[in-house]
Amino acid sequence: MVDVLAQRGNISPGRYVADFCAGLGGPARYLAHQYGALVTCIELNPDRAFGASDLCERVGLARSVRIVRADVARVPLLGESMDAVISQEALLHVPDKKAALAEAYRVLKPGGRLTFTDWATHVSLNDADAQSMWRGIAAQSIQSFVTYPQLLQAVGFRDVQTEDLTSEWARILEERFAMYRQLREETQRIGTPSGDSDFYRSYARLVALVQGGTLGGGRFTVQK
Ligand SMILES: C[S@@+](CC[C@H](N)C(=O)[O-])C[C@H]1O[C@@H](n2cnc3c(N)ncnc32)[C@H](O)[C@@H]1O
């Protein structure tokens, strides 16, 4: 998945890349190691940001990957300082997506690319499902395959390319859910408390929504 983002983002040695909602920095380290990119991670959660820094130190990538603890809706980077912005499966957690996309536009150099994957709806979620996705996967809001391109254009991006990854993600999700179900049953059998039933129900609903074609995954690539 990160190789495709690298390709869509024209990422090559010495390029400056920002990773929005970088988590523990896995994609960032991969881009630094495999592509020679100089990556700035923007990550809000202090523990994740600390973990990301620690992992970069441990694998000797601290000079090419830097971690900035910040909100992607207010990024402390200079305008026109990045060749590419990437984000992997994370913008659903951000309440003000327009602000985050506008920040990506601001920090990109002219001609630079934003490329990201995220969950997106084919059909609007009803209130009960939106609540369930909030409880299960912390989805603040989920854009649709129609509204994401509109938002991207509204903040100034052009040449929107949308790739529908729903069937690919449905397969992965099904495997992950089977693994999760098996672990849950094993822990229940040996009498260990098996965790959060709310989360389990939401996850099951997520799988059903993806398999039923309501919810899906997309990769969006645009140019400044
Ligand atoms: C699903 S993880 C994805 C991590 C990473 N992109 C990856 O593929 O490994 C989402 C991350 O987004 C971070 N996040 C959520 N809201 C954010 C925000 N407003 N600004 C920056 N990071 C945020 C979370 O703390 C979490 O680490």
Side-chain angles (χ1 to χ4, degrees), residues 14-215:
R15 292 275 177 148
Y16 288 94
V17 178
D19 181 356
F20 276 21
C21 302
L24 289 169
R29 281 186 297 280
Y30 187 81
L31 291 173
H33 185 251
Q34 296 290 106
Y35 292 86
L38 301 165
V39 189
T40 303
C41 293
I42 308 295
E43 170 54 45
L44 187 61
N45 181 294
D47 291 338
R48 290 271 169 103
F50 176 81
S53 294
D54 185 40
L55 287 168
C56 290
E57 286 283 347
R58 286 174 192 232
V59 298
L61 283 171
R63 291 176 64 178
S64 41
V65 180
R66 76 176 163 136
I67 316 296
V68 175
R69 200 190 76 77
D71 184 348
V72 293
R74 280 181 304 160
V75 175
L77 296 179
L78 292 175
E80 303 194 355
S81 56
M82 295 287 136
D83 296 295
V85 175
I86 65 140
S87 182
Q88 177 169 266
E89 279 185 65
L91 291 177
L92 78 160
H93 304 304
V94 178
D96 191 348
K97 277 183 244 311
K98 191 171 182 185
L101 298 176
E103 280 297 78
Y105 187 86
R106 183 184 66 77
V107 301
L108 277 171
K109 298 176 187 172
R113 287 192 184 179
L114 164 67
T115 182
F116 65 96
T117 52
D118 196 14
W119 295 93
T121 56
H122 293 282
V123 179
S124 295
L125 296 185
N126 60 36
D127 287 349
D129 283 332
Q131 267 302 316
S132 180
M133 293 309 104
W134 165 240
R135 285 198 306 272
I137 59 171
Q140 289 273 359
S141 67
I142 302 181
Q143 292 295 316
S144 77
F145 278 89
V146 175
T147 58
Y148 243 142
Q150 288 169 346
L151 263 188
L152 288 160
Q153 280 163 340
V155 302
F157 284 112
R158 59 192 170 87
D159 300 339
V160 183
Q161 288 171 46
T162 302
E163 294 167 84
D164 188 341
L165 308 175
T166 306
S167 54
E168 200 179 320
W169 285 21
R171 271 199 316 278
I172 297 168
L173 205 60
E174 201 176 339
E175 282 168 23
R176 230 188 258 176
F177 189 49
M179 181 185 73
Y180 180 48
R181 204 167 38 220
Q182 190 188 338
L183 288 173
R184 187 179 160 85
E185 284 162 9
E186 278 170 19
T187 48
Q188 277 172 343
R189 258 201 310 279
I190 59 170
T192 309
S194 56
D196 183 349
S197 299
D198 251 6
F199 173 77
Y200 184 77
R201 271 196 295 275
S202 295
Y203 207 95
R205 186 65 192 142
L206 169 68
V207 176
L209 287 170
V210 174
Q211 284 172 345
T214 298
L215 190 56

